[in-house]
Amino acid sequence: MSPVKRLLLIAAAAVLTLTTGLVDPASAHGSAVNPPSRNYGCWKRWGGDFQNPAMATQDPMCWQAWNADSTAMWNWNGLYRENVQGNHQAAIPDGTLCSAGNTGGTRYSALDTPGAWIAQTVPTSFTLRMHDQAQHGADYLLTYVTKPGFNPLTQRLGWGDLQLVGQTGVIPPGGGQTESDPALNGRTYTVNVSAPGRTGRAVLYTIWKASHADQVYYFCSDVVFGGTGSNPSPTPSTVA
């Protein structure tokens, strides 16, 4: 990374930490936190050490995302589209599902890039957790998984690659659960996911229709089926 680009990233991080790292609950939104969405996971693992060159080898997909646009991670809670009117496939073209159709311009585009994103190991039946910082509530949450044969290492996600594996009904504002993490200062909603017989790497795709407006959030989470729920995320190392 050039010295100029590094300085620009430092300045951007300083500003965005003030505006999004210490989030005002009135203006906050949310994301999938377990298994984590791609940009929430990158922020969680590297937000306090995002210039560490060790990321390039320990977590290369996050490395490319941070370098493409660091605001995608600082704004991990803002990946949404408005005025979708329930027609998700019309609003978001194939190949751009993880960026919600390049919402916000190119900010989230790197999230669509295929590759070895850090994947959480999960059993075939588990509970996905989605955090709503502003306590909007939900008209519904829908969670899909990629079909057998889809390869997240080489393929961009399309609507035809998905099958529904979990959903909720209405969740009222203020419903859900609290979290112990002070950065997650809203309410957490859960989706029971069932994908019997699945093994290996896959992508979960969660759609959250917030209740306060026609505002819909979209999250890609990487998983490996066949485990007991452990998380193989790397521990960032400090490089002087």
Side-chain angles (χ1 to χ4, degrees):
M1 182 186 300
S2 70
V4 172
K5 186 173 183 180
R6 188 174 295 277
L7 287 172
L8 289 173
L9 281 173
I10 293 171
V15 172
L16 287 163
T17 297
L18 292 176
T19 58
T20 63
L22 302 175
V23 180
D24 175 0
S27 61
H29 307 290
S31 191
V33 295
N34 188 15
S37 65
R38 287 178 173 177
N39 56 330
Y40 175 78
C42 289
W43 173 80
K44 185 70 174 177
R45 292 191 294 275
W46 299 98
D49 196 20
F50 71 96
Q51 292 180 287
N52 191 335
M55 192 195 321
T57 54
Q58 293 183 13
D59 202 348
M61 298 311 296
C62 280
W63 175 256
Q64 63 89 30
W66 277 101
N67 279 277
D69 194 329
S70 64
T71 61
M73 275 58 72
W74 298 116
N75 291 279
W76 58 265
N77 53 16
L79 208 170
Y80 64 87
R81 296 192 71 89
E82 294 183 306
N83 303 316
V84 174
Q85 298 180 11
N87 197 343
H88 308 291
Q89 295 190 34
I92 301 175
D94 284 345
T96 66
L97 273 65
C98 296
S99 67
N102 290 310
T103 191
T106 60
R107 171 180 289 177
Y108 297 105
S109 295
L111 304 180
D112 290 312
T113 305
W117 292 89
I118 294 295
Q120 181 164 314
T121 304
V122 296
T124 55
S125 295
F126 65 96
T127 300
L128 179 140
R129 300 176 68 83
M130 198 290 303
H131 193 72
D132 173 4
Q133 286 191 302
Q135 303 186 44
H136 290 314
D139 287 353
Y140 55 81
L141 284 91
L142 303 172
T143 296
Y144 300 82
V145 69
T146 48
K147 296 174 182 177
F150 178 83
N151 187 353
L153 302 180
T154 60
Q155 294 177 258
R156 285 176 172 259
L157 189 61
W159 290 105
D161 300 316
L162 298 174
Q163 60 187 60
L164 186 67
V165 290
Q167 60 186 314
T168 73
V170 173
I171 301 172
Q177 306 164 359
T178 59
E179 296 277 359
S180 58
D181 185 341
L184 301 178
N185 49 11
R187 306 289 288 186
T188 291
Y189 312 140
T190 59
V191 184
N192 293 326
V193 174
S194 179
R198 293 302 303 272
T199 59
R201 180 181 279 270
V203 177
L204 297 177
Y205 193 63
T206 300
I207 299 173
W208 164 36
K209 168 59 176 69
S211 293
H212 70 298
D214 188 357
Q215 190 175 81
V216 189
Y217 296 74
Y218 301 90
F219 319 121
C220 282
S221 304
D222 294 272
V223 298
V224 176
F225 284 106
T228 58
S230 61
N231 188 348
S233 300
T235 301
S237 60
T238 301
V239 177

